Amino acid sequence: QVQLVESGGGLVQAGGSLRLSCAASGRYAMGWFRQAPGKEREFVAAISWSGGTTTYADSVKGRFTISRNNAKNTVYLQMNSLKPEDTAVYYCAASSRTGRAFILVQEYAYWGQGTQVTVSS
C-alpha cells in the first residue's frame, strides 16, 4: 500500500509564496506535476531519493525549490514569486526507482490526489 498525502495548497496573491508538502513512505524518487483546466499535466520539479539530484521545468527555475526530508518521509515544493500562470492542481508523484530525478508522467508509479494552488492577480 502506497499512499501520497499532499498539503499546503491554497490561495495566494501574485508575488507570494506557498510550500507544498507530500508525505510518502518508501524509498522513491519524487516529483511534482501540475495541471490547469483544459491543459495537459506538466512536469514541475523532481528529486532523487538521496536528494542529490533535482530537476526543474524552465517555467519555475529560480522560483521553486524541491527538497526532501527522508527522516520525515516528506517531500516539499517551496514556491516563491508566484504568478497567476502557476494556478493549477499540483500533484505529488512517486517513482518506482530511486536513482535519479524523473520528468515524465510514465516514469511515476504512484500519485497523490492533488492540491489546488490559486494565484490571484
Side-chain angles (χ1 to χ4, degrees):
Q1 297 290 323
V2 177
Q3 183 177 10
L4 306 183
V5 181
E6 299 151 314
S7 62
L11 175 65
V12 65
Q13 294 182 352
S17 299
L18 286 173
R19 188 178 75 162
L20 305 183
S21 299
C22 176
S25 62
R27 297 177 63 89
Y28 301 109
M30 302 291 295
W32 288 96
F33 292 75
R34 66 187 183 187
Q35 188 166 23
K39 296 185 178 181
E40 297 181 351
R41 186 170 299 183
E42 66 174 343
F43 169 76
V44 176
I47 189 168
S48 63
W49 161 250
S50 69
T53 302
T54 58
T55 304
Y56 298 91
D58 288 342
S59 60
V60 306
K61 284 182 178 178
R63 300 188 298 120
F64 291 10
T65 302
I66 188 170
S67 62
R68 68 191 305 160
N69 186 332
N70 287 343
K72 296 182 178 180
N73 295 312
T74 303
V75 177
Y76 305 96
L77 184 68
Q78 178 67 46
M79 304 185 293
N80 298 327
S81 301
L82 283 163
K83 306 174 181 179
E85 50 263 45
D86 294 319
T87 295
V89 176
Y90 283 70
Y91 296 91
C92 178
S95 174
S96 60
R97 301 180 64 180
T98 62
R100 57 172 286 188
F102 305 100
I103 66 172
L104 302 178
V105 168
Q106 53 264 47
E107 293 176 311
Y108 289 86
Y110 311 104
W111 296 83
Q113 79 288 345
T115 185
Q116 178 70 48
V117 172
T118 302
V119 184
S120 62
S121 301

